[in-house]
Amino acid sequence: MITSEQHEKLRGWFAGRLPDDLFESLTEVRADREEITVVGRIPEPRLAEGASDAEKEAALQARVQEFRERTREARVEVAREAEHRFRKKVSWGVECGTERALFTHVAAPVMTRLRQPEREVLDTLVAAGVARSRSDALAWCVRLVQRHTDDWLGELRESLEHVQKVRSQGPDTGTPEAPGDEE
């Protein structure tokens, strides 16, 4: 997890480094241990008044694909610099109208040990066709928890930032003195 200040510096670096005409606006810069995800807003396609939902959806998807192809070289150049500087992979995405699309991004493996009752939950999701595998079922559970606990996770992240800030303000000595060792 990164602190608010680190996040602001990261967002600032991308805001300053991205070509001015790449996005209408930079909407999101997120980072974890493995990856930085950069998402920007691009202009919606102009459609005839009264266009059907199918036409709108097709136009948005085509606009996203056109942007991805047209800007690939510029995005790769920025990503190389960022990956060298921040030691993380960079992934890209766009928002266009109501459409949000992430391009190639990291799917990091996470290992865990589960007891039988927990495995039964995953196996039920697989048997019901909600997920293809235990791995898919676990990812589904994480997304469900994320969707329903954003406020709680936000408070937890703020608390962790406070802990990191307090730790960084600690003494610079390598070993703490034992009580009574003061001179």
Side-chain angles (χ1 to χ4, degrees), residues 49-103:
E49 196 171 318
S52 70
D53 288 343
E55 185 177 353
K56 290 175 186 174
E57 183 180 339
L60 290 175
Q61 289 175 357
R63 174 60 53 92
V64 168
Q65 187 61 35
E66 182 276 335
F67 171 87
R68 185 177 185 185
E69 297 299 325
R70 177 175 45 83
T71 63
R72 180 173 280 121
E73 193 173 306
R75 290 183 295 106
V76 166
E77 184 179 328
V78 172
R80 280 191 185 129
E81 287 179 40
E83 288 170 5
H84 178 75
R85 180 182 186 104
F86 301 111
R87 305 275 186 243
K88 300 173 193 276
K89 286 291 186 191
V90 175
S91 300
W92 299 92
V94 294
E95 291 177 355
C96 183
T98 58
E99 184 83 12
R100 180 181 171 97
L102 293 178
F103 306 152

Side-chain angles (χ1 to χ4, degrees), residues 1-4 150-166:
M1 195 186 115
I2 66 173
T3 65
S4 291
D150 281 341
D151 292 340
W152 181 80
L153 288 173
E155 288 179 33
L156 187 59
R157 286 184 185 110
E158 287 176 19
S159 296
L160 287 171
E161 284 185 32
H162 180 70
V163 168
Q164 288 176 341
K165 184 177 180 180
V166 170

Side-chain angles (χ1 to χ4, degrees), residues 119-131 137:
R119 293 190 310 266
E120 287 174 347
V121 169
L122 301 181
D123 292 341
T124 299
L125 292 171
V126 171
V130 172

